[in-house]
Amino acid sequence: MDGVLVHEGHPVPGADEFVRRLHQSGRRFLVLTNNSIYTPRDLSVRLRAVGLEIPPESIWTSALATARFLDTQRPGGSAYVIGEAGLTTALHEAGYVLTDIDPDYVVLGETRTYSFTQITRAIRLIEAGARFIATNPDPIGPSSEGSLPACGAVAAMITKATGVQPYFVGKPNPMMMRSALRAIEGHSETTAMIGDRMDTDIVSGMEAGLHTILVLTGVTTKDEIERYPFRPSQVANSVADLIDLIDADV
């Protein structure tokens, strides 16, 4: 989503037409984000406000991927959660009980205000045997005032205190891509992943066996591609350059 369809709160030029053509084509698609703060409905409304019509069922977050993963591991389990509505709603809908009393998991997500009290409780629960899960490894997030500590940074603090590494579900874990594929009944051989980051989007798409397309409207520049030991299947200036591919028989 960020860096591909929107950039610094504004739609990327051509993104509205790209999304419109996707809808018209009937092709199944999902918009992915590592941000676990918002529910798909929240994100749909936020995207509509900038001119992008994407229904909630076409949005896949690290919170949804985390809830799906936990449901496969320990159905009907319990978790102590640090996060916001996107994560707590996803876990509730997966049948999880949210509690700080002997939970199966400590689940760390994104929040605008990390609480030292909550972090301390998470550390003590992990020390007592709770398994440690985090929605994504991103160390910082953007804000109008500059960088903010994000899930990966707080996870590192908890790991330093407990000696326990979390299992990160979101990108670059290819599980995020595979769970998204299952959600739309897609197949890796006939699916493309469009992203703006070599270190998360492209590597996770590649490891999930997808055709990968790097767009240059976000974090990674063209010159930086050569620094990585892997390459995208394709490079485009933006999604505007991919519109004609939507209707192509590929």
Side-chain angles (χ1 to χ4, degrees), residues 2-54:
D2 295 324
V4 176
L5 297 179
V6 293
H7 182 68
E8 295 182 352
H10 301 284
V12 169
D16 54 347
E17 176 63 13
F18 179 79
V19 170
R20 188 179 69 80
R21 291 278 287 274
L22 272 177
H23 283 302
Q24 289 179 341
S25 72
R27 291 182 184 268
R28 299 187 301 275
F29 72 94
L30 286 177
V31 174
L32 271 65
T33 176
N34 256 2
N35 190 323
S36 65
I37 290 178
Y38 303 106
T39 67
R41 183 177 297 177
D42 295 334
L43 287 172
S44 178
V45 171
R46 293 171 72 88
L47 289 167
R48 186 180 304 120
V50 297
L52 299 178
E53 289 291 338
I54 300 173

Side-chain angles (χ1 to χ4, degrees), residues 128-165:
R131 302 151 188 86
F132 188 16
I133 298 288
T135 58
N136 68 86
D138 301 27
I140 59 172
S143 78
S144 59
E145 300 169 348
S147 296
L148 294 172
C151 185
V154 178
M157 180 168 61
I158 294 174
T159 293
K160 189 70 174 179
T162 62
V164 177
Q165 294 279 350

